[in-house]
Structures are given as structure tokens and as C-alpha cells.
Amino acid sequence: MLWFRRDLRLRDHPALVAAAADGEVLPLFVLDDALWGPSGDVRRAHLLRSLRSLDAALGGHLVVEHGDPADVVPRVARRAGAARVHVSADAGPYGRRRDDAVAAALAGAGRELVRTGTPYAIGPGTLRTAAGTPFQVFNAYSRAWLAHGVPAPAPPARARWVRDGGPGLDAPGRPAEPDLGGVELPPAGEDAALARWASFREHALGAYEHGRDRPDLDGTSQLSHALKWGELHPRTLLHDLRGHEGPGAASYRSELAWRDFYADVLWHRPDSARGYYAPQLAQLRYESPDSEAFRAWCEGRTGYPVVDAGMRQMRSVGWVHNRVRLIVGSFLVKDLHVEWTHGGREFMRRLRDADLSSNTHNWQWVAGSGPDAGPFFRVFNPITQGLKFDPEGEYVRRYVPELRHLPGKAAHTPWEAADGYAHGYPQRIVDHARERRVALEEYARVRDRDRDRDRDRRG
């Protein structure tokens, strides 16, 4: 058996190669309530579309079961007479616990769970500092990551797919695709991801070093959802980047290294999935998320155009440009004084690429509490950030129709135009300069209290 999880592809798939070497292969996907339940509709819809694409590539052989994998996988293995169940290893806290439980259940029946490969270029837990400790600083990790190297893509697998009469994706009781309303998602599946990758290499890779910071341009690969679900593997991307040695390719490699770095952090610190990596900042005082300000942020009604454009982009396409994620995150934590965990949950609910390690640690980067994070006192000015990275206001006008009448950069400052609010755009809900001072004063309170406590201990 091959149990698909975050590896919904047939190319560059080491676990598939291992399974094919065993003989005929039964492909299985398990709809696990522990993962399906917390997922937002956008993520569920993309997953179902990706599974449908995978099933087509498998000639309709994909078996889709529902339930606890510790019960389902051994039952299907017994039904199929499979001695071994092949998987790509899972590095997440839940995935590791789940797989250990499945392995134990299989072993009790004389069967084996075989873990081959991971969803990352270099598996979490592989790299260590010279002292043998986990990396906490990205630049040092990145140097080790580059020096380690990445193996070539896995060879093509010529699997003989079989189906044991088990249910498929459209069997009774299987979930229907959620109604997303007006949310528009890109095509799902391996072929769509490879086509997007080819287009990005041709049209945007060369300018990626700077283009990746411009939300008004199509300057990023937008493959984060494909990497999340394993519709392609980062090893494939790195292999295709051979011979591309310009700053654009170097920047793209660095972004893949960040993805591996955050997965490595979560491997060593599973508590950081929900809690503070740096616990000192847990002492900051925050406003309740049960507030009109938090709802305005979620819905893109803050009165700060680039913030509102980002939040509306997420509700429109299930994705937000990375630079804008930093801007809206800083605004929530440091202008609205709402704890990063609430923003992280909103992202996990609405993003098609919602990934636990990347989402959590990017939020902690903004909040100053993560590994190698931006300092808390780095507060993004939403006006100057918008003017710098969306200089002609194209991004704002794309997602904030109330400001489409304002030309050029005027879209970022409607309060300066006589007709800036003519079409119903909301007034600013807070004064950025004032809230920045409040945030820094609160940070100074916690910092000084920690200093005093340390001084008292030294005595």
C-alpha cells in the first residue's frame, strides 16, 4: 500500500518508488477528522480538487477512507493483504504521533509502516550546529543547508496500481466540496503545479529578488499551496534551478531554506506550534480578540488601504502575498494589540496554503517571539509600506473597489483626497503613530521587568 498524505503527486516520490519495488500498489488516502475538522473551507476545497486530480492520474484507483488512521490503515492493509504500508515521513507533532500509532497497530498484525522521504528538501532534525544543537538562527542554518546539498529527484516509478473494491472519493458519506461563494482558487494537482513552476521560471525568476516584495506584480511562484500538499517536491524545484545562478534564483533557494528551517524548529520545539518560542514576550498585555477592531481587521475594514487589500485578497483567493502578510501581521499585533495567535488561527482558517510550521513561525517572526525573529520594536508603518511596495496603488485598487477612483499612489492615502471617502471606504480605526508608541511602551515594560528580575537574581 501507498498511503498518500502531503505528497499528492506521482513524480519525484521516493515512497512511491519504494512501494512500486514491492509489487502491486494499492493507493490510499484517509480523511482524518483530526486534520479535516480544523481546516477551513478553502483548504478543504483545494485538497478535494487535488485528490480528484491524483485519482485521475491513478486511473481511478485511489481508495478514500474516512476515520482514525490508526484504525483505518491496518484495516485496509488487512483487506488488501498488504505486508507493508509505504508513506512519506511526517515531521509535524500530530503526524509523528499518528504515524507511531499506525506503526504500532500494523506491527501488532505482523505488518510494517515504511517511511521514505519527507515533504522537505532536507528532512527536519537532519542538520545540527557544530556543537550538536538545533539551529536557532536562519543564516547559520541556511549555510549548513546549502553545504549539505539536496539529492537528485527520485527516479520515475512504474507502479502497478490496484484497487481492492474500497470506496473512492465520490463514495456515499464522503464530503462534498464546500461552497466557497466568490473565492477563486487556482487549478489543483501536480500538472497544474508544474505548469505554474515552468511559467514562473520563464517570466519571473530573474526578477524575483525584488519582484517578490511587490504585491502589485505577478512576481512570486504562488506554489506555497502546492508545496503544502506535496503536489510537487522542493527537491524538484532545486533541481530545476541548477544553472540559474543569478540573484533571483538565490533568493528563491533562500525561501525554500526558510521553509525547511521552520519545519526544523517545529521538529525540535513542537510546543512552538501553539505557544511562544521565546516565552518572555508572552508577558505582553493584549486586547481581547472579541472586539470590533479584530473583526474589522479580519474583514479588511481598518481604513489602512494595504492592510485591507491584504485581508480582502485572502477572502477572495485564499492566498496573501508574503510582504503583505508581514504588514497585516504587524498591524494586528502592534497597532491593534491583538495577540499573534488569533491572527495565526484566522490565516489557518482561510489560506489554501495554511501550513503549521510556516504559518506559526512567520507570525512569531512578526510578533518578535520566534526563532531569529524580527525585533518587537520593528513596527511596520502601513502607509509607507504600501507606498514602497505598491507604488502606483494597483494592488490596493485590485482588492479595495471603494478606492478605485483614486489614481496612482493616492489610493494609499484617501484621507488626503477631497473625494477619498466618496465610495464608502471606512475611516482609519486607529492612529498608527499613537498605537506604535503604546506597543513600544508595553514592550519596554516587559523588557525592563525582565532586566530587574535578572539583576535581583544576580543579587
Side-chain angles (χ1 to χ4, degrees), residues 132-152:
T133 58
F135 282 96
Q136 299 184 55
V137 177
F138 172 71
N139 284 341
Y141 176 87
S142 179
R143 288 192 294 271
W145 186 86
L146 288 168
H148 183 277
V150 175

Side-chain angles (χ1 to χ4, degrees), residues 212-213 215 321-327 378 380 385 389:
R212 66 191 177 93
D213 276 327
H321 187 278
N322 184 63
R323 167 57 59 172
V324 181
R325 294 188 197 204
L326 301 180
I327 297 169
R378 182 183 183 187
F380 281 31
Q385 287 281 310
F389 296 111

Side-chain angles (χ1 to χ4, degrees), residues 7-30:
D7 50 359
L8 306 182
R9 66 184 185 280
L10 300 183
R11 300 173 182 86
D12 193 3
H13 198 315
L16 170 55
V17 174
D22 256 357
E24 292 181 331
V25 182
L26 174 73
L28 170 71
F29 187 88
V30 181

Side-chain angles (χ1 to χ4, degrees), residues 256-328:
L256 293 175
W258 271 108
R259 180 174 181 269
D260 280 13
F261 174 60
Y262 282 150
D264 191 71
V265 169
L266 189 61
W267 174 273
H268 293 289
R269 285 283 307 274
D271 60 299
S272 69
R274 301 286 185 265
Y276 284 73
Y277 182 88
Q280 299 88 342
L281 290 187
Q283 306 306 313
L284 291 168
R285 293 178 297 210
Y286 285 110
E287 300 291 336
S288 168
D290 298 324
S291 65
E292 173 56 29
F294 182 65
R295 287 190 291 274
W297 178 83
C298 291
E299 296 169 6
R301 297 185 287 104
T302 69
Y304 285 88
V306 75
V307 173
D308 294 340
M311 299 307 291
R312 295 188 195 189
Q313 179 182 32
M314 183 163 61
R315 289 179 171 233
S316 298
V317 299
W319 182 84
V320 185
H321 187 278
N322 184 63
R323 167 57 59 172
V324 181
R325 294 188 197 204
L326 301 180
I327 297 169
V328 303

